[in-house]
Amino acid sequence: MTKKIISTALAVLMIVGCSALVAGCNNTAEQPVTSEYKLAENIEDGSILHCFSWNFETIKNSMADIAASGFTALQTSPINECLEGEDGGMELYGDGKWYYHYQPTDWTIGNYQLGTKEQFKEMCDEADKYGIKVIVDVIPNHTTPTTSKINQNLIDAVGGMDKLYHQNSQYDLKNYGNRLECTTYKMGGLPDVNTENPDFQEYFLKYINECIDLGADGFRYDTAKHIGLPDDPKEDDGYTNNFWERVTKDIHKADSIFNYGEVLQGNNDRINDYIKTIGRTTASTYGSRIRNAVVQENLDSSMIKDYYISEDNLNNIVTWVESHDNYINDGNWSLMSEKQIEMAYAIISARQAGTPLFFDRPYGSSQEDQWGMNRIGAAGSDMYKSDIVRAVNFFRIAMKGEDENLVKPMDKSSALVIERGEKGAVIVNLSGELETGFEINLPDGTYKNRVDGETVYTVKGGKLTSDKPVPENTVVVLYNDGFVNYAKPASVGVENAEFNYAQDSVDVILRCSDAVNSKYILEVGDKVIDTPFEDGDTVRISQDKGATAVLTLTAENQQGTPVYKQFLFTRQGEKSTNKIEKGTKVYFTKPEGWGSKISAYVYADDGEETAWPGLLMKDEGDGKYSYQFTDDWTSPRIIFNDGSKQYPAANEPGLLVEADKTYTAE
C-alpha cells in the first residue's frame, strides 16, 4: 500500500510537471545556453552560405562563426588556377577584379586570390570539425579570353588548343533560344570549352576528384545552361554530349555529392531536363519574384508561392534572394537594403521546398556603395549572422519534413505567415504594425520570438496574441519543439572606416558586441601591435604612401565560440599620370577573322570617354590600322573592336595608351 501511494504521488508530480511544460516551461523557460551546434546532416535540409571572394584562410578562421549562424554548408568562389589580372591586384573591383577567378587558365587547385591547395585542405578539415559541408564553384564551360595564359599542361592533355574549344567558339552567342548556339558559341567574350572532348573530361574529372579527396562535399556548376544535355544538338566532331553523366557519376563519393547547376531561366532553358541530369539547379525566376515582392511590400501568396519549377522538382532547387551575378551585374545592390535582404531570406529559408543560399555582400557595402572595403579575400558583411538569418536557419533545421501553409494574416498584403505543420511558424511583416489575434496552426501555449529572444506570444484556441502588435520590418520565428538555446555569436568590426585614405593617418573606431576577450592585431610594415580592446576604442593607422596596413579583430562569445575579421587599409600613393597629347597616334594589327571596319574606344578614370564602339580607325594596309587622338588626354585606356569582337575581351579593362605603340591581340 505504501509503495502504491508513493508511486501515485510521483505520477501526480510528473503529470503536473508535464502540464507545466506544455503550457509554459516548454515554451518560455530558458534552456541552458550551448555552443554545440546541431546542423543538418544533409545540405538539402539546411542552408548554404556563399562566402563570395573570401579566401581559404578567412573561411577557416570564420568556421565556428558560420556554424553559430546555422549554416549547414558554405560555398567558395572558384578555386581553380585563374588569370592574374592587373598585376595581381586584390580589389573586388578596381585594381583587381572578382571575376578573374571565373577565368580559368587551368583546372588545378589554388589561385592567387583564394589561396593554395594546402590551405584549401586545411579549410575543409576545419569545416569537418563543425559538421559543415563545403561546396566548390566550378567553371568547366569556358577559359579566360587571354588564351596566351592557358597552362601548357592543359593544352597538351586535351590534344592541342583547337581541341580545347568548340569549333563554334569563334562566334559570339546571340540567340539563347538556339540550343547549339547556346552550348557551343562564345558567351560574354569567353572561349567555349569543348566539354564533350573525352580528353578534357578526364582532365576535369581529375580536378573534381582531387577536390573531393581534399574535403569538398558538392559543386556549383557555373553557366551550366551553356553545356549540352544528352539530346542537345552537337557539332560534327565525333564526340558525345555526355559531360553531365560523367561529372555526376564518374566521380568519387558520387552518391553523396551535392551537385547543382546555374541555369538562368528563360529562352529555352530546359531547366527541368537540367535538374534531371545534374540533380539540382538554381531557381532564378523565383529569386526575382521574391525581390520584387519585398521591394513592393506585397507578400500575397500569389506573388511568392510559385517557384516556377515543375512540382516534381521542388526538392531539387537552390533558392536565393540574390546571387553574386545579379548583385553585381543587374544593379540589384542598390535596390534592396540589408533589412530587406534579411526579410526576403526569412521567407525562402522558412519555406519547405528548395535549399536556400545566402549571398554575403562585401563588407561595408550599402545601397550607396556597392563594394565597401573592396577587398578580395576578406569576409563580407555580418548580415549572414544577423538575428533574423540565424533564427530562420535553425528553424529550417528543426522543421525538416513538415508541410507548409502560407497565410495572409489579418488580410494584410505586406505580411505573411509561413506555417510548418503544427510545429512552427515564421511571421514576416514588411510595413505598418500587424495586429495579433489571427488564426495560427500551433498548439496552445506560450512561445518566444526566437529572433529577439524576448517577445512572448500566446496561442489559445488556435489564435495568436501578444501584448503588442508585430512591428513593421520584423520577422517573428515561433517554435518550441526542436529549439536549442544557442549562444549568440560575437561580433567585431569597424565603424565608418576609410579603407583607402589620402591623408597622413586615419582613425578607426573598433566595435564589438556579445563578446569577451576582444583584441586587435595591427600590422604596419614590420611593426605589430597586439592588444585587447573594448567597444568604441579608436586605433590610429599611419603609414607610408602606397602601403597597406592589416587590422585583425578577434573575440569570443560568452561560451567561447571565436569570431574573426580582417580589414586592410591603404594609404593612397602618388598616382602616375600618362599625358597623351593631341595628334598622338597608336596602331592595331587586325586579328584573323575580324571585320574590315575597326573602331577604337577610348576612356579615362576621370569619366572622359568616346561613345561606344568608339571612332573608326584608318586602314593603313596589310592588316594594320591607326588611330589619332584629336584632344589631350590624361591616362587614357583603349579598346579595339569590329562591332562584334573586341580586344581586350568584354569585362576586361582597356589597354594603357602608349604613344606610337602597335597593339596586337593575344
Side-chain angles (χ1 to χ4, degrees):
M1 178 66 69
T2 303
K3 290 180 179 179
K4 184 177 181 181
I5 292 173
I6 292 174
S7 63
T8 301
L10 285 172
V12 170
L13 278 172
M14 290 177 68
I15 291 170
V16 172
C18 289
S19 176
L21 285 172
V22 172
C25 296
N26 188 42
N27 303 322
T28 58
E30 290 296 328
Q31 299 179 17
V33 179
T34 180
S35 59
E36 296 295 323
Y37 305 107
K38 298 178 182 177
L39 305 176
E41 291 185 10
N42 301 310
I43 295 174
E44 55 266 33
D45 297 325
S47 47
I48 306 166
L49 173 63
H50 183 185
C51 300
F52 171 67
S53 291
W54 299 22
N55 65 32
F56 303 143
E57 194 71 14
T58 294
I59 297 173
K60 184 185 78 170
N61 290 331
S62 304
M63 203 68 71
D65 211 38
I66 295 171
S69 303
F71 288 97
T72 293
L74 63 88
Q75 179 176 301
T76 71
S77 290
I79 70 175
N80 49 268
E81 181 185 295
C82 65
L83 182 69
E84 188 171 328
E86 275 111 39
D87 297 319
M90 292 294 285
E91 290 184 342
L92 286 166
Y93 200 84
D95 184 17
K97 299 289 187 297
W98 65 272
Y99 55 69
Y100 286 132
H101 50 234
Y102 283 89
Q103 293 193 16
T105 56
D106 197 4
W107 279 276
T108 54
I109 298 172
N111 59 55
Y112 74 104
Q113 293 191 343
L114 303 188
T116 66
K117 180 168 69 173
E118 291 72 26
Q119 289 173 318
F120 176 73
K121 175 67 164 60
E122 291 170 1
M123 182 201 75
C124 292
D125 290 345
E126 189 70 10
D128 285 343
K129 295 177 184 178
Y130 294 91
I132 293 175
K133 308 297 192 297
V134 174
I135 299 172
V136 174
D137 200 349
V138 293
I139 308 102
N141 178 68
H142 54 260
T143 69
T144 177
T146 309
T147 54
S148 63
K149 299 297 184 181
I150 300 295
N151 193 305
Q152 189 63 43
N153 290 334
L154 169 62
I155 297 171
D156 293 341
V158 302
M161 189 68 83
D162 60 326
K163 298 292 185 181
L164 178 58
Y165 301 115
H166 281 119
Q167 298 167 9
N168 289 328
S169 184
Q170 60 182 305
Y171 305 116
D172 292 312
L173 169 59
K174 296 180 180 179
N175 181 7
Y176 280 77
N178 182 314
R179 287 297 297 170
L180 181 63
E181 189 169 331
C182 187
T183 59
T184 63
Y185 281 36
K186 179 167 52 179
M187 180 199 67
L190 300 168
D192 201 79
V193 170
N194 192 336
T195 45
E196 296 82 58
N197 179 349
D199 292 328
F200 168 77
Q201 292 176 358
E202 289 300 325
Y203 197 84
F204 185 76
L205 284 169
K206 181 180 177 182
Y207 168 68
I208 290 293
N209 282 326
E210 187 170 20
C211 291
I212 296 170
D213 293 344
L214 293 177
D217 303 285
F219 299 94
R220 174 219 182 242
Y221 280 88
D222 184 72
T223 55
K225 184 169 72 174
H226 300 283
I227 300 176
L229 292 163
D231 60 347
D232 267 329
K234 268 289 288 110
E235 291 180 329
D236 185 17
D237 55 13
Y239 300 146
T240 304
N241 264 329
N242 65 342
F243 175 81
W244 293 118
E245 180 181 10
R246 297 216 61 197
V247 298
T248 56
K249 295 180 180 178
D250 295 349
I251 59 173
H252 300 170
K253 303 179 182 178
D255 293 340
S256 62
I257 294 298
F258 184 95
N259 293 310
Y260 80 99
E262 180 205 21
V263 180
L264 301 182
Q265 290 169 271
N267 293 315
N268 194 19
D269 54 57
R270 300 196 63 185
I271 192 163
N272 291 308
D273 295 317
Y274 274 106
I275 292 175
K276 180 180 178 181
T277 304
I278 302 173
R280 298 171 186 83
T281 70
T282 52
S284 59
T285 298
Y286 183 64
S288 175
R289 294 285 287 187
I290 288 293
R291 292 192 298 273
N292 290 338
V294 171
V295 169
Q296 296 169 16
E297 297 182 344
N298 184 0
L299 300 184
D300 189 274
S301 62
S302 64
M303 285 285 290
I304 64 169
K305 186 174 183 179
D306 191 349
Y307 285 97
Y308 300 91
I309 300 286
S310 168
E311 290 287 333
D312 297 336
N313 290 323
L314 294 186
N315 291 325
N316 299 312
I317 55 175
V318 171
T319 58
W320 30 252
V321 176
E322 61 183 4
S323 69
H324 69 278
D325 280 318
N326 58 55
Y327 174 79
I328 293 167
N329 297 327
D330 299 345
N332 287 326
W333 65 275
S334 64
L335 300 180
M336 298 186 75
S337 67
E338 288 195 355
K339 177 61 73 173
Q340 288 174 314
I341 292 290
E342 291 174 11
M343 300 188 77
Y345 180 76
I347 295 172
I348 69 170
S349 187
R351 293 197 66 186
Q352 181 183 14
T355 302
L357 177 141
F358 187 90
F359 165 69
D360 190 45
R361 291 179 166 189
Y363 188 90
S365 61
S366 66
Q367 288 180 276
E368 292 73 40
D369 182 357
Q370 182 176 14
W371 301 110
M373 183 167 60
N374 196 18
R375 295 288 182 177
I376 294 169
S381 164
D382 271 0
M383 254 202 307
Y384 77 89
K385 57 192 285 183
S386 74
D387 291 339
I388 290 175
V389 172
R390 186 167 56 94
V392 294
N393 279 344
F394 284 115
F395 173 88
R396 175 176 175 80
I397 293 170
M399 294 301 120
K400 177 183 176 181
E402 298 291 329
D403 291 336
E404 74 168 24
N405 184 38
L406 306 184
V407 179
K408 181 164 67 174
M410 307 298 283
D411 202 34
K412 191 172 187 288
S413 293
S414 61
L416 176 71
V417 179
I418 303 171
E419 298 175 335
R420 295 298 302 274
E422 297 181 355
K423 193 173 181 180
V426 170
I427 304 167
V428 179
N429 183 38
L430 295 179
S431 66
E433 293 184 337
L434 171 63
E435 297 292 337
T436 58
F438 52 84
E439 294 183 351
I440 197 164
N441 197 31
L442 290 175
D444 286 1
T446 53
Y447 299 80
K448 273 190 178 178
N449 180 8
R450 303 307 181 185
V451 175
D452 62 23
E454 296 178 356
T455 309
V456 176
Y457 292 82
T458 301
V459 176
K460 186 174 181 180
K463 288 192 174 182
L464 180 78
T465 59
S466 183
D467 293 338
K468 54 186 177 181
V470 179
E472 68 177 0
N473 291 321
T474 296
V475 173
V476 177
V477 176
L478 304 175
Y479 70 112
N480 295 320
D481 183 11
F483 172 73
V484 180
N485 192 14
Y486 293 119
K488 188 173 182 179
S491 289
V492 292
V494 295
E495 181 180 326
N496 297 328
E498 290 183 76
F499 297 109
N500 293 281
Y501 64 97
Q503 61 272 31
D504 292 341
S505 63
V506 63
D507 290 336
V508 180
I509 301 173
L510 307 182
R511 291 299 185 191
C512 62
S513 60
D514 303 300
V516 296
N517 301 326
S518 305
K519 75 170 185 175
Y520 76 84
I521 302 172
L522 177 61
E523 302 171 69
V524 182
D526 295 332
K527 185 179 180 181
V528 178
I529 301 174
D530 186 339
T531 186
F533 77 91
E534 295 183 356
D535 184 54
D537 285 354
T538 299
V539 174
R540 174 161 292 177
I541 299 175
S542 179
Q543 57 193 329
D544 295 335
K545 289 183 178 180
T548 296
V550 180
L551 177 66
T552 303
L553 306 184
T554 62
E556 298 174 347
N557 71 359
Q558 299 297 326
Q559 277 62 45
T561 301
V563 62
Y564 164 96
K565 285 280 186 180
Q566 192 172 83
F567 308 94
L568 286 84
F569 295 84
T570 300
R571 184 180 177 189
Q572 296 173 8
E574 298 289 347
K575 287 190 175 180
S576 61
T577 57
N578 178 30
K579 298 292 186 179
I580 298 297
E581 297 180 349
K582 177 181 177 180
T584 298
K585 275 190 174 184
V586 294
Y587 302 89
F588 179 64
T589 301
K590 182 173 75 75
E592 185 178 352
W594 279 43
S596 60
K597 293 184 177 181
I598 308 296
S599 297
Y601 166 74
V602 182
Y603 70 96
D605 291 339
D606 61 8
E608 187 177 0
E609 64 177 342
T610 58
W612 183 263
L615 301 177
L616 281 175
M617 301 182 71
K618 181 181 178 181
D619 187 348
E620 302 281 0
D622 295 326
K624 191 173 184 178
Y625 290 72
S626 66
Y627 175 79
Q628 186 171 26
F629 285 81
T630 57
D631 295 295
D632 294 340
W633 286 73
T634 300
S635 300
R637 289 179 178 269
I638 192 165
I639 297 174
F640 305 101
N641 69 89
D642 70 348
S644 61
K645 303 179 183 65
Q646 70 176 66
Y647 175 73
N651 296 321
E652 294 292 327
L655 303 164
L656 289 172
V657 174
E658 299 178 42
D660 299 318
K661 180 174 180 177
T662 298
Y663 296 87
T664 302
E666 294 181 338

